[in-house]
Amino acid sequence: MKITRLAPRATAILGAAAIVAAAASLLLSSQPARADQPIVIKFSHVVAPDTPKGKGADRFRELAEKYTDGAVKVEVYPNSQLYKDKEELEALQLGAVQMLAPSLAKFGPLGVREFEVFDLPFIFPDKAALRKVTDGPIGKELLAKLEPKGIVGLAYWDNGFKVMSANRPLKTPDDFLGLKMRIQSSKVLEAEMKALGAVPQVMAFSEVYQALQTGVVDGTENPPSNMYTQKMHEVQKHATVSNHGYLGYAVIANKAFWEGLKPEIREGLEKAMAEATEYANSIAQQENDDSLAAMKAAGKTTFHEFTPKEKEAWIKALLPVHEEMASRIGADLIARTQKETGLVP
């Protein structure tokens, strides 16, 4: 029997067609319903349920149904059950899902490059500095930039600061030379890896474990909770607790859907989101601490902590990325963010 393989372009076309078909189906099913039928919100994400984002989504589901007296039903789809990284934003814009919590790096490819300020290495020395940005004018301005894309920004959710992992020790920038490192689709992260001498490889999050296991890529960067829940520590011999970069999410909704809700429904959902955000951000650090401890206890990955001299070498290698990305992100935005976080390049 002859097996016909689809070319990548044909596969992409079929994927887009599936999203369009899902959106059309949703449109038909969302016509005026009986008063006793709840409004269904599909909340899709790409990580495991037992991560900070996964737990935040579940908490929002509980609170949304509570504060709308059952007028809303939230269906949470974790682990890329509905859409992978590259598909989910298009699905939201088309209305196939109503809510997402994509990583902040996802908005660069969408055309809102300013969000890539969050990817800049060593720009956030700690969570307090980060919160000055997300809770302040800069954070609000960035969310507003999503509206022309048909998206409403609702909140920022933490995951945490990232570790670097590979199958060889990563103590100095020279240790990265020639390594194929998986990244999200972000020009900043691409520049970061190139500054270290590595070869950046853009790949969907759901595909990373197998790629590490089979040697398609040599290593990656992730907060400990993502690394642990996806079992990446089982296929990575070494990791450095570098805290060089931040991974966070923006909880977003389809603009037409959100603005079409009755005010009292939207008010209940906003209350649920505020409380879910406080919960998700409060547990993120503990989740990462627990995940790091669990991976150390498993003994399959050797974790390295920086010496002051090693950290200085990493900072020296990576801070030039800030200047390199100024024309893409905006020199003024980078300078304002550096001022908020107390970073002196």
Side-chain angles (χ1 to χ4, degrees):
M1 180 177 71
K2 183 179 179 181
I3 299 176
T4 303
R5 298 188 182 276
L6 293 174
R9 177 173 173 78
T11 304
I13 290 171
L14 285 175
I19 294 173
V20 172
S25 174
L26 179 71
L27 183 63
L28 289 173
S29 64
S30 62
Q31 298 303 310
R34 297 195 316 269
D36 59 345
Q37 289 184 325
I39 298 165
V40 175
I41 294 179
K42 291 185 178 181
F43 190 152
S44 173
H45 65 82
V46 302
V47 299
D50 53 347
T51 56
K53 177 163 65 172
K55 291 183 177 182
D58 287 339
R59 178 61 63 92
F60 172 74
R61 173 180 53 78
E62 295 168 9
L63 295 172
E65 294 176 2
K66 173 183 175 182
Y67 292 144
T68 62
D69 294 323
V72 169
K73 179 184 178 183
V74 179
E75 298 176 353
V76 179
Y77 296 90
N79 273 330
S80 304
Q81 288 178 4
L82 293 183
Y83 302 104
K84 294 183 179 180
D85 291 279
K86 292 181 180 180
E87 303 167 345
E88 62 175 8
L89 277 170
E90 183 181 1
L92 181 89
Q93 289 175 302
L94 290 170
V97 293
Q98 290 72 49
M99 291 183 67
L100 302 173
S103 60
L104 298 167
K106 300 276 183 63
F107 299 117
L110 189 67
V112 191
R113 296 174 177 179
E114 292 89 344
F115 274 92
E116 290 181 351
V117 72
F118 289 101
D119 291 335
L120 290 171
F122 293 110
I123 196 165
F124 301 112
D126 51 41
K127 284 284 179 69
L130 167 73
R131 201 64 67 227
K132 288 182 180 179
V133 176
T134 56
D135 292 352
I138 293 175
K140 292 179 176 63
E141 290 168 18
L142 292 177
L143 290 180
K145 289 181 180 293
L146 296 173
E147 295 202 12
K149 305 291 183 181
I151 295 170
V152 172
L154 302 175
Y156 290 98
W157 284 3
D158 285 343
N159 188 321
F161 293 102
K162 295 182 278 190
V163 303
M164 289 280 199
S165 67
N167 284 323
R168 70 187 189 205
L170 301 172
K171 297 181 179 181
T172 72
D174 290 342
D175 294 329
F176 285 85
L177 188 62
L179 288 181
K180 293 175 290 183
M181 298 290 289
R182 180 268 171 178
I183 60 168
Q184 299 183 75
S185 181
S186 164
K187 292 298 182 183
V188 175
L189 298 181
E190 184 178 318
E192 169 192 279
M193 291 302 178
K194 288 181 177 178
L196 292 169
V199 181
Q201 304 282 312
V202 175
M203 182 178 294
F205 183 71
S206 59
E207 299 170 4
V208 177
Y209 176 87
Q210 186 176 8
L212 292 170
Q213 184 182 45
T214 58
V216 172
V217 294
D218 299 307
T220 186
E221 57 169 16
N222 268 297
S225 62
N226 279 4
M227 186 178 179
Y228 179 62
T229 56
Q230 296 295 318
K231 304 185 186 300
M232 295 178 195
H233 64 291
E234 296 180 355
V235 289
Q236 295 277 265
K237 294 179 181 178
H238 295 273
T240 296
V241 185
S242 51
N243 295 327
H244 63 282
Y246 168 72
L247 178 65
Y249 312 106
V251 187
I252 58 177
N254 176 281
K255 188 172 185 288
F257 169 80
W258 190 258
E259 294 181 350
L261 294 170
K262 292 180 179 179
E264 61 270 24
I265 296 293
R266 194 162 58 243
E267 183 179 342
L269 294 177
E270 287 170 349
K271 182 179 180 182
M273 180 54 62
E275 292 185 20
T277 297
E278 184 177 352
Y279 167 75
N281 289 344
S282 70
I283 67 169
Q285 189 61 54
Q286 190 62 52
E287 291 287 323
N288 280 296
D289 290 346
D290 291 348
S291 294
L292 184 59
M295 288 189 288
K296 288 179 177 179
K300 296 184 178 181
T301 304
T302 300
F303 285 86
H304 175 69
E305 302 279 348
F306 273 149
T307 66
K309 187 175 180 180
E310 287 169 350
K311 184 173 183 178
E312 183 181 348
W314 278 54
I315 291 173
K316 184 178 180 181
L318 289 171
L319 273 188
V321 173
H322 291 218
E323 186 174 352
E324 182 183 345
M325 291 291 107
S327 61
R328 178 179 176 83
I329 298 172
D332 179 63
L333 175 59
I334 293 175
R336 287 174 63 203
T337 305
Q338 290 172 341
K339 184 178 179 180
E340 287 287 350
T341 65
L343 176 67
V344 181

